[in-house]
Amino acid sequence: MGSLRTGSLRYVGALACALAAPAWAAPAATYRNPLPVHLANGEPAQNCADPAVLRDPRAKTPTWYLYCTSDPVSKKERPLDGEKGDWHFHMIAIYRSTDLVAWNYVGDAFVDRPAGLAAPTSGLWAPEPAFLNGHYYLYFTVTDVADAHSPEAGCDKDSAIGVAMADSPAGPWVPASKPVVPPRRAGPGCDFQWTFDPKVVEDGSRKWIYYGSYGGGVYVQPLRFDGLQAEGTPRKVGTAWRYEGAEVVRHGGWWYLFGSTTDCCNGPLTGYAVYAGRARTPAGPFLDRMGQDLAAPRAGGTPVLFQNGNRWVGVGHNTVFPDAAGQWWTIYHGIDVNEPFFSAPDKLTRRLALLDRIDWVDGWPVAGGGGPGGIKKRPG
């Protein structure tokens, strides 16, 4: 199989073999990054930060859904020159695909921020879809909860994890009235840990939820059977200064935690990347291939996705999954150095969805089959 390189056609033989079926047209054997993600009117979507993918277990034909952080997605969805007003933020845009390459808009998870759960100016970030107990769940970050759910009224950084349920991966979504993980204090007043970036997994009959970020670290905690409330004692699995955007999958008898990281001071345009560790249980500890703990003060991490000076920088916050044939892939966001901002005056970074193959080499994930977009070559 040919190497995968941004700027050139990419070979996706596994996808073509897995998804071809007599009832519908087989996808092309090649594709280009960024992925063609389209709005209902056919225009390209310009933003898909923190992408997450769910394969619909009820669909007869392999069908996947892509969920993106709340953001503007079209440069036309803004006030006309000289007019006052704000950009239109899609409250978790949802797209659908039958080949993992071409994605079409199906709607937003919410018309507006869930009343009573999120404050009027809160962000809804890092969506995490899951199929649990015969229902569809959508977990998400609430960057500022309503005062009723905060230990300190009037704060704007008391983040939490919310959830909504639906009978379809496209919705309509009905949000729960209470957070799954409430705001967590870091100090007095409005000093809170960052309760961001949910990820949910099942291990037999047990469910686990991961959350957290640079502000306090990444944690894992048991999740109540109904999926609506974290319970028990949280355990740190990613150190505070290094990791966010936890993605956790099971492969070959191991649980792998993918964490996105920056160099702390220069922002996502310089050092954002993805590293991995693995553990025998979802509770960790997650160690890299050198045996270093991702939660240690001098954190470990085996490199998976990182930039190499080409078109794509700020690569990360990925989702990892197998296709219908069992080949593994990752979708992640990246910033195009030729057009880094959706709106520079408004400080809106333009983060597009990129797809690359994951191979498992000596028990560790290797991205891109030799050279994904903006990533150095990995042994294959």
Side-chain angles (χ1 to χ4, degrees), residues 1-6 8-20 24 26-36 64 97-103 321-331 354-359 368-369 372:
M1 185 172 288
S3 64
L4 307 181
R5 296 178 182 277
T6 293
S8 61
L9 291 177
R10 297 173 173 239
Y11 181 74
V12 194
L15 283 176
C17 293
L19 301 177
W24 50 287
T30 58
Y31 74 100
R32 291 178 183 270
N33 270 331
L35 291 176
W64 289 265
S97 176
T98 55
D99 65 4
L100 289 172
V101 173
W103 297 87
F321 54 89
D323 65 17
Q327 173 64 55
W328 287 76
W329 300 85
T330 182
I331 291 180
L354 310 173
L355 170 71
D356 278 297
R357 178 176 139 185
I358 291 282
D359 291 307

Side-chain angles (χ1 to χ4, degrees), residues 60-77:
K60 294 181 180 180
T61 297
T63 304
W64 289 265
Y65 288 79
L66 173 68
Y67 304 78
C68 311
T69 274
S70 60
D71 261 326
V73 299
S74 169
K75 291 187 176 182
K76 295 183 179 180
E77 295 178 319

Side-chain angles (χ1 to χ4, degrees), residues 28 48 50 54 60 95 110 138 141 143 214 236 245 247 328 372:
C48 184
D50 310 333
L54 173 70
K60 294 181 180 180
Y95 305 89
F110 308 109
L138 184 62
T141 303
T143 64
Y214 309 133
K236 184 180 283 189
E247 166 71 348
W328 287 76

